[in-house]
Amino acid sequence: MQNYKGHVVVLTYPAQGHISPLLQFAKRLANKGLKATLATTYYTVKSFDATTVVGIEPISDGFDEGGFKQATNVQAYLESFRSVGSRTLAELVQKFNDSASPVNCIVYDSLLPWALDVARQFGIYGAVFLTTSASVCSFFWRIEHGSLALPPKQENMPLLLPGLPPLGFSDLPSFIAKPESQTAYLHVILEQFSRLNENDWVFSNSFEELESELVEAMLGLWPLMMVGPMVPSAYLDQQIHGDTGYGASFWTQNSDKCIKWLEKKQPKSVIYLSFGSMADIVAKQLEEIAWGLKASNKQFLWVTKESQNKLPIEFVNSLGEEGLLVEWCNQLEVLAHQAVGCFVTHCGWNSTLEGLSLGVPMVSIPQWSDQPTNAKFVEEWRVGVRAKKDGEGIVTREELKVCIEEIMVGENSEEIRRNANKYRELAKRAVGLGGSSDKNISQFVMKVIKDKEKGKSKGQQA
């Protein structure tokens, strides 16, 4: 049995976009010599790859048979997870404490702030992992500290904040622009930022070179450590042997079918489209995207998940070899393929980081949450363009066609591609040996190893 020098339990919110970066962080810790255990809900355990170097342990959210879909609403789910999850996470920590590998630290998803209380209960370190960009996190920090109103007033636009570009109302996260739309999630997010300084570490899935102005503006104000991008090592630094995927997926991936199809295409000729694991795109928008793709005269690979039955039947029947529709795929494998020249994305933070890490120019069609802000930054970094919406909030077929042409053959396409490659190299450097993110992770690991006993004394003083 391996003699570990420390043991970290990593707790994730049970959604694909949260599991992926937190599992990847756990792999980074394991690669540096810590025992890393990912705690997830019973309902999601079956989605994990058994070969991962990280231990997977279940805890309960109170809905073990059906997970989130069993709950009546978001608030009911979050309240159940808080009460049942606190108890079962404590039981998991106690189980390890009665073994040869006691837990020294809990790293927890920022949507689960109650995990910090469990860490304090055992007198061990507690660290929060922020799954959105540092820039988006800075909004919530400012709201909590009274320097940003919620919601901001239209007449105060553009919003001018240190370390950020001027922001219009449509550039703001939906939780901030329309706080009444997601009150349950907003409540736990603001709770987390009210307790930020109680954590021993605050990790962000980003890297210093990507958000340098924000990092400089917030220096000394909050205890942030950049550790990203949390993308499988094979696509960046190759420090973790065989790390070609995240190691968990809620959907069956059609990777072989996708790669075989891509192999027949010319370099940089294919448009890849995916709108993430949570997007529910209205039929009219899907129809406009479909006909916009057709009008572009480009070949495309489109991940449609449950949306295929909303697409126009004439569109589906006309695809031939020009288009491929799949329910899910290994996005990294597709983005890394030489045939892909453009990524049409909802701009979820994971997808944005993957696009940057693989150097693929993007067309952004944001939907909600932090996506509008991420889309703004894709434009600011000049690695892509943001599709404009009409008065009904729809990206028209004509607009999509224009955006695709700008990326693929437009007068700025070469500059956009150069910038995409530049950020790819910066991402590689950040997580590579001795890079900014790698140093931050190593610093954390050394602290856990060095001060295993310190957590106990902290707990005794509490």
Side-chain angles (χ1 to χ4, degrees):
M1 182 180 290
Q2 188 166 346
N3 182 25
Y4 294 104
K5 297 175 181 176
H7 185 183
V8 176
V9 167
V10 179
L11 173 66
T12 180
Y13 183 80
Q16 187 73 61
H18 289 249
I19 288 172
S20 292
L22 281 148
L23 178 55
Q24 196 60 37
F25 185 61
K27 284 190 273 182
R28 290 275 175 189
L29 300 181
N31 191 56
K32 289 185 180 292
L34 294 180
K35 179 178 175 64
T37 300
L38 191 99
T40 187
T41 59
Y42 279 94
Y43 183 67
T44 57
V45 161
K46 60 182 179 291
S47 303
F48 286 78
D49 184 344
T51 62
T52 180
V53 295
V54 173
I56 309 297
E57 291 282 347
I59 65 166
S60 180
D61 55 5
F63 300 100
D64 297 344
E65 299 303 314
F68 180 82
K69 290 178 182 175
Q70 248 186 293
T72 52
N73 54 48
V74 172
Q75 186 167 348
Y77 180 76
L78 292 173
E79 287 175 358
S80 175
F81 205 171
R82 180 185 292 266
S83 60
V84 182
S86 293
R87 175 175 54 80
T88 53
L89 178 62
E91 289 169 358
L92 177 64
V93 173
Q94 188 59 57
K95 182 184 88 168
F96 282 120
N97 286 354
D98 293 335
S99 75
S101 300
V103 178
N104 311 113
C105 178
I106 297 173
V107 174
Y108 64 94
D109 192 307
S110 55
L111 283 182
L112 307 172
W114 45 263
L116 182 60
D117 299 321
V118 178
R120 295 296 174 252
Q121 175 187 333
F122 286 93
I124 58 178
Y125 287 125
V128 61
F129 190 99
L130 305 167
T131 55
T132 54
S133 71
S135 296
V136 165
C137 291
S138 72
F139 290 124
F140 298 111
W141 185 88
R142 290 185 185 284
I143 289 166
E144 186 54 43
H145 285 76
S147 60
L148 179 61
L150 186 66
K153 294 177 181 175
Q154 284 273 17
E155 56 266 30
N156 293 337
M157 296 292 124
L159 196 61
L160 303 174
L161 297 172
L164 299 176
L167 298 164
F169 205 79
S170 63
D171 300 325
L172 301 178
S174 62
F175 295 156
I176 292 172
K178 298 176 182 176
E180 72 286 351
S181 65
Q182 293 289 339
T183 53
Y185 281 131
L186 182 60
H187 176 76
V188 295
I189 291 169
L190 291 178
E191 177 189 348
Q192 179 55 68
F193 281 88
S194 72
R195 304 185 63 186
L196 207 63
N197 287 316
E198 295 178 36
N199 291 279
D200 296 296
W201 291 272
V202 179
F203 298 121
S204 172
N205 184 19
S206 186
F207 54 106
E208 290 173 13
E209 295 83 353
L210 185 65
E211 300 185 84
S212 55
E213 291 180 25
L214 187 278
V215 170
E216 190 176 329
M218 299 298 282
L219 201 62
L221 298 178
W222 63 351
L224 196 68
M225 284 181 76
M226 304 287 222
V227 294
M230 283 299 138
V231 169
S233 179
Y235 298 97
L236 288 171
D237 59 302
Q238 287 138 19
Q239 283 196 69
I240 306 174
H241 178 70
D243 185 30
T244 58
Y246 289 107
S249 179
F250 291 174
W251 295 276
T252 303
Q253 298 183 352
N254 295 312
S255 294
D256 288 347
K257 182 179 180 181
C258 294
I259 298 304
K260 282 178 184 174
W261 185 84
L262 287 169
E263 286 296 327
K264 301 172 187 174
K265 310 305 176 188
Q266 293 296 313
K268 305 283 188 287
S269 66
V270 172
I271 303 157
Y272 169 66
L273 301 88
S274 177
F275 299 104
S277 58
M278 295 179 74
D280 184 19
I281 299 175
V282 296
K284 184 174 181 182
Q285 179 63 87
L286 287 168
E287 183 176 348
E288 290 300 306
I289 290 170
W291 294 123
L293 284 173
K294 202 72 177 166
S296 76
N297 288 318
K298 300 292 181 188
Q299 298 169 108
F300 58 87
L301 167 55
W302 188 356
V303 176
T304 55
K305 213 154 56 68
E306 295 95 349
S307 304
Q308 281 196 36
N309 58 355
K310 296 181 187 176
L311 293 172
I313 190 68
E314 319 89 81
F315 168 78
V316 175
N317 290 339
S318 70
L319 290 179
E321 266 296 303
E322 295 306 299
L324 179 64
L325 303 178
V326 295
E327 287 195 356
W328 202 246
C329 72
N330 183 329
Q331 180 159 289
L332 286 161
E333 204 172 307
V334 170
L335 287 173
H337 199 282
Q338 63 172 0
V340 174
C342 174
F343 180 18
V344 179
T345 171
H346 64 309
C347 263
W349 188 235
N350 290 329
S351 287
T352 302
L353 286 177
E354 288 172 3
L356 287 166
S357 297
L358 276 298
V360 182
M362 290 173 261
V363 173
S364 308
I365 306 181
Q367 304 296 309
W368 72 303
S369 187
D370 61 331
Q371 296 163 21
T373 314
N374 300 338
K376 171 70 172 176
F377 276 95
V378 164
E379 284 193 307
E380 287 292 316
W381 296 321
R382 295 195 59 75
V383 294
V385 295
R386 180 178 181 173
K388 296 177 179 63
K389 297 183 179 181
D390 66 10
E392 297 177 36
I394 299 290
V395 173
T396 65
R397 60 191 73 182
E398 294 83 6
E399 173 65 11
L400 180 58
K401 178 176 180 285
V402 166
C403 289
I404 288 171
E405 286 176 349
E406 188 169 347
I407 292 294
M408 301 290 271
V409 296
E411 62 180 43
N412 296 318
S413 60
E414 283 303 315
E415 182 197 354
I416 289 171
R417 203 168 297 285
R418 279 197 305 272
N419 286 332
N421 285 326
K422 178 186 81 171
Y423 281 105
R424 178 183 189 180
E425 292 307 312
L426 289 173
K428 280 184 181 179
R429 195 181 308 163
V431 294
L433 202 58
S436 56
S437 293
D438 183 66
K439 282 180 181 176
N440 286 339
I441 297 171
S442 293
Q443 184 183 327
F444 165 67
V445 169
M446 292 307 296
K447 186 76 172 171
V448 169
I449 291 171
K450 184 180 176 185
D451 293 345
K452 281 197 294 185
E453 298 305 311
K454 186 179 178 183
K456 294 176 184 176
S457 63
K458 184 193 305 181
Q460 289 160 3
Q461 292 166 9

